[in-house]
Amino acid sequence: MSEFNPYQQPQSDVAVESASGLIVHAPVRRPLGAGTRWLSDAWALFVKDPGVWIGGVLVLWLVGIAAGMFPFIGYFLGVVINPLIYAGAYIVAHKSDRGDAVRFEDFFAGFQWRTGSLLALGGISLVIMVAVFVVLGLVGWQISGDDFSTLGANWAALSNGDAAAISQLPDIFYIKLLLIVLIWMLLLIPYAALMWFALPLVVLSEEMTIGRALKWSFVGCIKNIIPMTLYSIVLFLLILIGMIPALLGLLVVMPLLIISLYTSFRDIYVDAH
């Protein structure tokens, strides 16, 4: 592991010290089995305070929904303040991980800690997301052209399953639509990699800059694409299982998801090399 001088302002991609004593280092590669270990570690933290986690995540989810309900700007506002909303969950996870008592109000710590940086991160997320959709729109128009005009003109009928409207679309349209979906996924992958670990890096490391957080998040995801793929598959199965009993299982799965984002962050950026 590279040497770290706690008295020197960090200038290189080696390590950054947090006010809480947490030291993060440049992302390291973890083995395939780490994907399931992140979830098992998350479960261990969840069962320490299940009531606090269920209540806290539920309230954060409702706050996010409320922010998205503002006319015209709701969606954009939701993206910008999303880091503020969920930053507290990482703080709760970190406190629980180091053995401190956690409280319900800790979930709102994001509105009091590094607020400017978190809003800036949300703004960058929005800008990148808009850029992705602009590029997708331009590419989609070049690929489909008049087919998309037909789709727009018949959207209501298509939404209602009108067979006559559907029949107006040429067979090639569906091939083009599949191609556009694939391009959309390819555009979302780098966006997701940039943002995946950026929030815990910013909120848990006081000296972490947004630029470095985005860079380290991207590199961490790329280095750990194999365990993250396994993690995603297992998590998807857990979400499906959680939806079976009238969605009530999601009250457990959703906190587990958030905590597992913390445990994966800890494994890749905090634990010893």
Side-chain angles (χ1 to χ4, degrees):
M1 181 175 179
S2 300
E3 294 183 358
F4 174 72
N5 181 357
Y7 303 101
Q8 180 181 358
Q9 185 74 13
Q11 299 295 330
S12 62
D13 290 348
V14 177
V16 179
E17 184 175 7
S18 164
S20 64
L22 181 69
I23 298 178
V24 297
H25 51 66
V28 296
R29 183 174 286 105
R30 294 304 186 191
L32 172 64
T36 55
R37 188 179 68 247
W38 299 335
L39 289 166
S40 62
D41 289 349
W43 177 255
L45 292 179
F46 172 78
V47 297
K48 291 171 64 174
D49 300 284
V52 174
W53 274 108
I54 291 174
V57 171
L58 181 60
V59 170
L60 294 182
W61 179 67
L62 293 175
V63 170
I65 291 179
M69 293 178 66
F70 280 87
F72 305 110
I73 65 170
Y75 175 77
F76 303 103
L77 178 64
V79 174
V80 172
I81 71 170
N82 188 68
L84 284 179
I85 295 174
Y86 287 98
Y90 289 100
I91 293 174
V92 171
H94 179 53
K95 290 183 65 175
S96 178
D97 190 27
R98 67 186 184 186
D100 295 347
V102 297
R103 303 169 300 170
F104 179 77
E105 52 265 34
D106 291 333
F107 281 93
F108 301 96
F111 292 91
Q112 305 172 21
W113 172 251
R114 304 208 71 188
T115 303
S117 295
L118 293 174
L119 284 175
L121 181 62
I124 292 173
S125 176
L126 177 61
V127 170
I128 298 175
M129 185 176 295
V130 170
V132 166
F133 279 105
V134 169
V135 172
L136 180 65
L138 293 174
V139 172
W141 182 261
Q142 289 296 319
I143 292 175
S144 294
D146 293 339
D147 290 341
F148 262 84
S149 300
T150 304
L151 176 61
N154 295 278
W155 181 253
L158 289 169
S159 300
N160 295 326
D162 189 324
I166 294 176
S167 65
Q168 295 182 26
L169 294 173
D171 293 338
I172 192 63
F173 171 81
Y174 298 101
I175 298 176
K176 294 179 178 179
L177 182 61
L178 177 60
L179 178 59
I180 292 171
V181 170
L182 292 175
I183 294 173
W184 177 60
M185 293 177 64
L186 290 175
L187 290 173
L188 283 183
I189 288 174
Y191 166 75
L194 281 169
M195 305 306 302
W196 193 261
F197 292 113
L199 177 52
L201 283 167
V202 169
V203 76
L204 295 176
S205 304
E206 186 179 10
E207 300 300 325
M208 177 65 66
T209 64
I210 294 178
R212 176 176 287 174
L214 293 170
K215 174 184 175 182
W216 279 14
S217 176
F218 185 84
V219 173
C221 289
I222 298 302
K223 280 188 172 182
N224 292 279
I225 188 66
I226 294 177
M228 289 186 70
T229 299
L230 176 61
Y231 162 82
S232 300
I233 293 172
V234 176
L235 184 61
F236 176 73
L237 294 176
L238 290 175
I239 292 174
L240 289 181
I241 295 172
M243 295 174 64
I244 294 175
L247 304 182
L248 293 178
L250 294 180
L251 293 175
V252 173
V253 176
M254 297 314 294
L256 189 65
L257 164 61
I258 294 177
I259 304 172
S260 66
L261 294 177
Y262 166 78
T263 55
S264 58
F265 152 79
R266 182 193 65 192
D267 190 35
I268 295 171
Y269 298 91
V270 180
D271 291 346
H273 287 59

